[in-house]
Amino acid sequence: MRITDVDIWTVVVPVIPERVNSPEFGAPSWPKLPKHIIRLRTDRHVYGLGETRRGCPREAAEAAAGALVGRDPLGIPLQDLPLVQSERPFHGSRASYEGLHGPGHSSPAYDAFEMAMFDLVGKALRVPAHTLLGGAVRDRILVDYWIGQQMPADAARNARRGAERGFRGIKMKCAMDDPWEERLQAILDAAGPAFKVTID
């Protein structure tokens, strides 16, 4: 089996404005950053899908794709892909990316291609991708509602909306000088004392 081609779709995933920041905190820039959906295709019509982080340069995805075309996915170490290093920095600093992933995995597109390779190889071997990673850890995933930096009244309205839709918690972005106590109290008043709050 050989990887014959890589499709790269650049997308900007929209956000609902009132769920991100209250006007007092200004509009964040990240919702406008593109990400890339990739599909590794093979000569046996087996494919693997992956997704980059927001802000990953398209050139990095193209360079990574070029390094894999023609290769046998069953002959590549899945957690040490031979990707071409991108020359363009990711989120301002290659050093910060290497700090997260180590110097051998410094391509900003690395995670997307590793994800796609696990997907592809799992399909080729007719096993779930988690089998290649040592087996499933859980069969359910807890998902919380999400908001950006918000004033207490906005946070309360969104927490209530999340609770009404069945969420049991909310994750919110914060800065050190945000109105912490008022915001937390507003969320708990709106969604109930058992509603979990995760602060990022």
Side-chain angles (χ1 to χ4, degrees):
M1 180 165 57
R2 291 281 181 270
I3 296 172
T4 56
D5 199 5
V6 180
D7 299 310
I8 303 172
W9 295 283
T10 300
V11 297
V12 176
V13 180
V15 297
I16 301 170
E18 67 267 16
R19 311 268 170 72
V20 186
N21 287 2
S22 293
E24 292 85 349
F25 295 104
S29 61
W30 59 263
K32 297 180 181 177
L33 291 174
K35 59 171 61 178
H36 312 286
I37 308 299
I38 62 163
R39 179 173 61 186
L40 304 178
R41 291 191 283 152
T42 69
D43 56 359
R44 295 200 184 161
H45 306 293
V46 179
Y47 65 90
L49 298 173
E51 174 185 1
T52 70
R53 299 171 186 229
R54 291 181 193 264
C56 175
R58 184 177 175 97
E59 300 83 26
E62 291 170 348
L68 294 177
V69 170
R71 304 285 299 262
D72 177 359
L74 299 177
I76 298 174
L78 294 180
Q79 292 180 307
D80 191 19
L81 302 180
L83 302 187
V84 174
Q85 173 61 50
S86 171
E87 295 303 317
R88 185 170 160 192
F90 180 60
H91 286 284
S93 167
R94 177 178 297 152
S96 65
Y97 188 83
E98 288 179 352
L100 289 173
H101 298 275
H105 299 162
S106 55
S107 168
Y110 187 89
D111 294 347
F113 281 85
E114 185 178 77
M115 184 188 317
M117 285 291 289
F118 272 96
D119 185 35
L120 190 159
V121 171
K123 287 173 180 171
L125 298 177
R126 298 175 189 243
V127 298
H130 66 69
T131 301
L132 305 173
L133 295 164
V137 175
R138 61 185 63 86
D139 61 5
R140 297 172 62 108
I141 299 173
L142 181 65
V143 177
D144 288 338
Y145 206 66
W146 182 92
I147 58 173
Q149 286 180 275
Q150 296 193 347
M151 295 302 287
D154 295 332
R157 184 171 52 257
N158 281 305
R160 189 176 303 108
R161 180 182 286 141
E164 288 169 354
R165 293 181 179 181
F167 290 91
R168 297 180 183 175
I170 193 167
K171 178 182 174 185
M172 64 179 180
K173 291 286 187 182
C174 290
M176 293 302 291
D177 57 351
D178 283 359
W180 290 79
E181 290 183 32
E182 297 90 343
R183 186 187 297 165
L184 289 169
Q185 190 61 58
I187 288 172
L188 295 177
D189 288 346
F195 201 65
K196 185 183 77 159
V197 180
T198 302
I199 298 170
D200 182 0

